């Protein structure tokens, strides 16, 4: 449905986006992540046709943005981080205005406006002036305008900004419901949200794609083997004993829990080392209160790949097709 091919954007001598490629399949929710300044917003602005690329190609449902900008833009609904609202308009006036701008047939405009109001649960706010709405309700109005025109593609940049926890859950549920009729690119700084709703995730940093994969593959692809080990005995003595055991790649963290209980976060060279660590500590006279492996989270993967560590899963631009 969405194909990004060797997309580049230069600002003078600054290369903000560096020949990136990825796809979003039909009815897929694709998470788009990156730290500030990574090129994420620039890329999204190029996808929706707001910014022209320096080079590369954007295809929506097989149509080129460069060759057919008017037709392609009709296929896209866009919610930017700061919704494009006219604050002196009433909600319903604004949505009717958006329907006209998007060239929705007159016979269908009222139906589409009513449907968008209902989906975002703002029907009771339709006669309120937008400037008098809370930030959360303004965000919902911005989301509603993205749905006008029944676009095949939705580009959502931080769609839950300003919402309370209940509203955030409602929007998550709405996004999951919308997948039946739309392909969605969803950007958020809240990684738990991305984990909750996205089928695949793209991570971009310094204008380059660092990873494209499912959350399950991303969080299961790390080569790091990290365990938490709780040891009964003096902390300094336990640390010394650990350093003398082979197979421990790194003692990452030490927590003194009480005078006879310490917790160590250790990175092992291989899974086979685990039993050697337990046996070695017991032989050194320590009791093992607990040993457990730490699961890799999406936050861990994001931090790792944006700090220069390579990702061992799918190559950039690959998809699950």
């Amino acid at each position: 449905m969405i194909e990004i091919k060797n997309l580049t954007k230069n600002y003078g001598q600054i290369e903000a986006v560096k020949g990136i490629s990825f796809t979003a399949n039909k009815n897929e929710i694709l998470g788009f992540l990156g730290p500030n300044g990574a090129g994420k917003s620039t890329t999204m602005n190029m996808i929706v046709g707001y910014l022209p690329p320096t080079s590369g190609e954007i295809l929506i449902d097989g149509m080129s943005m460069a060759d057919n900008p008017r037709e392609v833009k009709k296929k896209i609904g866009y919610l930017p981080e700061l919704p494009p609202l006219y604050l002196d308009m009433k909600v319903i006036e604004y949505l009717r205005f958006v329907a006209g701008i998007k060239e929705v047939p007159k016979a269908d405009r009222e139906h589409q406006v009513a449907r968008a109001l209902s989906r975002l649960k703002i029907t009771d706010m339709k006669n309120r002036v937008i400037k008098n709405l809370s930030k959360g309700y303004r965000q919902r109005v911005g989301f509603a305008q993205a749905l006008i025109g029944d676009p095949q593609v939705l580009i959502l940049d931080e769609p839950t900004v300003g919402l309370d926890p209940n509203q955030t859950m409602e929007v998550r549920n709405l996004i999951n419901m919308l997948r039946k009729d739309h392909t969605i690119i969803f950007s958020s700084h809240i990684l738990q949200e991305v984990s909750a709703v996205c089928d695949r995730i793209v991570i971009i940093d310094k204008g380059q794609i660092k990873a494209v994969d499912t959350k399950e593959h991303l969080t299961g692809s790390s080569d790091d083997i990290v365990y938490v080990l709780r040891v009964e005995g003096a902390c300094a003595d336990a640390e010394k004993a650990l350093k003398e055991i082979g197979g421990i790649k790194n003692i990452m963290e030490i927590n003194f829990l009480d005078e006879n209980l310490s917790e160590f976060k250790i990175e092992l060279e291989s899974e086979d080392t685990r039993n050697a660590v337990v046996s070695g500590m017991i032989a050194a006279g320590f009791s093992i209160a607990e040993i457990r492996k730490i699961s890799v989270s999406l936050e861990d993967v994001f931090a790792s790949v944006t700090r220069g560590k390579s990702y061992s899963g799918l190559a950039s631009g690959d998809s699950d097709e």
Side-chain angles (χ1 to χ4, degrees), residues 116-300:
L117 288 167
S118 176
R119 280 181 158 184
L120 273 298
K121 298 186 178 181
I122 52 174
T123 302
D124 58 344
M125 296 287 168
K126 67 181 182 181
N127 291 314
R128 295 278 299 274
V129 177
I130 294 173
K131 69 181 177 183
N132 295 330
L133 298 178
S134 67
K135 185 177 180 181
Y137 273 111
R138 291 186 191 187
Q139 189 72 7
R140 292 204 212 185
V141 174
F143 201 138
Q145 67 78 27
L147 299 180
I148 298 293
D150 199 22
Q152 293 172 275
V153 171
L154 292 174
I155 309 295
L156 309 176
D157 192 359
E158 303 287 346
T160 60
V161 168
L163 303 185
D164 65 34
N166 288 332
Q167 293 169 338
T168 296
M169 185 61 68
E170 289 174 2
V171 170
R172 285 184 191 174
N173 292 338
L174 175 62
I175 291 170
N176 273 317
M177 180 187 71
L178 289 171
R179 76 161 69 236
K180 294 183 292 185
D181 304 307
H182 307 271
T183 298
I184 300 171
I185 294 182
F186 172 70
S187 173
S188 177
H189 284 99
I190 305 172
L191 300 190
Q192 296 92 326
E193 285 188 355
V194 175
S195 295
V197 302
C198 295
D199 301 304
R200 287 190 303 131
I201 296 166
V202 175
I203 300 178
I204 185 173
D205 185 38
K206 297 176 183 176
Q208 297 178 307
I209 288 182
K210 300 297 184 179
V212 182
D213 214 330
T214 63
K215 182 194 74 172
E216 290 75 18
H217 286 165
L218 281 169
T219 56
S221 66
S222 175
D223 293 329
D224 296 341
I225 303 168
V226 180
Y227 278 83
V228 168
L229 177 69
R230 286 193 175 187
V231 178
E232 294 180 2
C235 182
D237 293 339
E239 180 183 1
K240 182 180 179 181
L242 279 171
K243 289 180 177 179
E244 293 176 355
I245 296 173
I248 296 178
K249 196 172 181 180
N250 183 24
I251 299 177
M252 304 168 66
E253 189 177 308
I254 301 173
N255 292 311
F256 179 77
L257 303 180
D258 62 40
E259 61 182 14
N260 198 45
L261 185 64
S262 302
E263 183 178 270
F264 299 86
K265 186 176 180 181
I266 57 176
E267 183 181 0
L268 305 184
E269 292 179 355
S270 70
E271 288 286 0
D272 296 337
T273 308
R274 177 187 180 278
N275 291 338
V277 170
V278 173
S279 299
M281 292 301 287
I282 292 173
F286 296 93
S287 296
I288 306 299
E290 180 185 9
I291 183 167
R292 58 182 169 84
K293 189 174 183 179
I294 298 178
S295 299
V296 177
S297 67
L298 182 57
E299 287 85 350
D300 294 328

